[in-house]
Amino acid sequence: DTEVTQTPKHLVMGMTNKKSLKCEQHMGHRAMYWYKQKAKKPPELMFVYSYEKLSINESVPSRFSPECPNSSLLNLHLHALQPEDSALYLCASSQVQGEKLFFGSGTQLSVL
Amino acid sequence: AQSVAQPEDQVNVAEGNPLTVKCTYSVSGNPYLFWYVQYPNRGLQFLLKYITGDNLVKGSYGFEAEFNKSQTSFHLKKPSALVSDSALYFCAVRGSWGKLQFGAGTQVVVTP
């Protein structure tokens, strides 16, 4: 299994909603990542977990809250988002932090 | 700080012709370079990486990249392009804490 699975594929939410994005991998990777990507732009790193501990937080607003319940799962909890947060949210994993990334297909998020 | 530059927003090539996507890098120390490809509505896929060793790196889907230290370049190449190669291509360099710094991306359009 060389896949990173993200759910849901699409999400529409209002600015007062609370939702969660989920990511799962079964490759035994010990680093997991959240990226934000606007159309036709490069991905922007948000968070990195290494061995289930938060390793990097790229000064992301607190309305985004990551969680790594175990080595296979990564969540991104969303609360009180703004319309400018609409983007493709990509999860990725790697054997260890800094090695080649395996990306999921992403969650296309629209904030109304 | 580590960075990469992709000087072309878009590359147009006819099917069957050679394809080159340009990337230049700026690093302190030895570069650790990657190429990723993104098809529409998908996450990024790893193509190849350079760490040390042979300057010609072979990757997935018939792609290769040539590392040139004197020109600080890492251009992606394919001898004969396919329509299915039409996608967004990102060059990246590994920086501190294993973080990837992506280039702006180059849209490749292969016409039949």
Side-chain angles (χ1 to χ4, degrees):
Chain A
D1 185 357
T2 58
E3 278 194 357
V4 175
T5 303
Q6 289 188 244
T7 56
K9 292 192 183 306
H10 302 274
L11 179 62
V12 179
M13 60 186 292
M15 289 189 284
T16 59
N17 292 159
K18 286 185 181 181
K19 297 287 185 182
S20 296
L21 309 184
K22 297 185 184 302
C23 175
E24 190 168 6
Q25 58 87 15
H26 296 288
M27 294 178 277
H29 290 174
R30 302 316 300 269
M32 296 188 76
Y33 309 72
W34 281 115
Y35 283 87
K36 173 183 177 181
Q37 187 182 27
K38 294 281 195 179
K40 302 294 187 183
K41 298 294 185 184
E44 301 170 21
L45 183 64
M46 300 175 73
F47 303 103
V48 183
Y49 275 82
S50 180
Y51 292 87
E52 299 155 57
K53 294 191 188 309
L54 185 63
S55 171
I56 296 175
N57 177 342
E58 291 287 83
S59 302
V60 178
S62 59
R63 57 185 183 269
F64 295 91
S65 175
E67 178 195 20
C68 188
N70 60 55
S71 61
S72 299
L73 293 174
L74 186 66
N75 298 322
L76 186 63
H77 303 298
L78 315 173
H79 173 55
L81 294 193
Q82 304 297 309
E84 59 264 30
D85 296 323
S86 298
L88 181 67
Y89 287 84
L90 292 166
C91 174
S93 69
S94 63
Q95 192 82 19
V96 292
Q97 188 170 326
E99 291 302 318
K100 78 177 187 184
L101 299 173
F102 291 76
F103 283 85
S105 293
T107 294
Q108 187 65 55
L109 174 67
S110 296
V111 181
L112 304 179
Chain B
Q2 323 285 59
S3 67
V4 291
Q6 295 180 243
E8 299 158 317
D9 291 337
Q10 183 165 314
V11 169
N12 298 298
V13 62
E15 188 174 33
N17 283 359
L19 169 63
T20 298
V21 187
K22 295 180 180 177
C23 174
T24 59
Y25 65 87
S26 174
V27 302
S28 53
N30 294 320
Y32 192 154
L33 298 160
F34 298 82
W35 275 103
Y36 287 85
V37 61
Q38 186 173 29
Y39 298 100
N41 304 310
R42 300 294 302 274
L44 281 70
Q45 294 180 31
F46 170 82
L47 283 178
L48 49 81
K49 69 179 179 183
Y50 172 83
I51 309 174
T52 59
D54 196 347
N55 289 343
L56 187 63
V57 181
K58 293 194 182 297
S60 307
Y61 314 122
F63 284 94
E64 58 188 27
E66 185 172 7
F67 174 75
N68 188 315
K69 188 172 182 178
S70 63
Q71 297 185 4
T72 62
S73 66
F74 188 56
H75 300 331
L76 182 69
K77 299 182 180 186
K78 187 172 185 181
S80 178
L82 301 173
V83 172
S84 56
D85 293 327
S86 298
L88 186 57
Y89 290 78
F90 292 102
C91 182
V93 62
R94 190 172 79 170
S96 57
W97 297 97
K99 293 193 293 185
L100 278 193
Q101 187 66 41
F102 287 94
T106 298
Q107 183 70 49
V108 170
V109 178
V110 182
T111 51

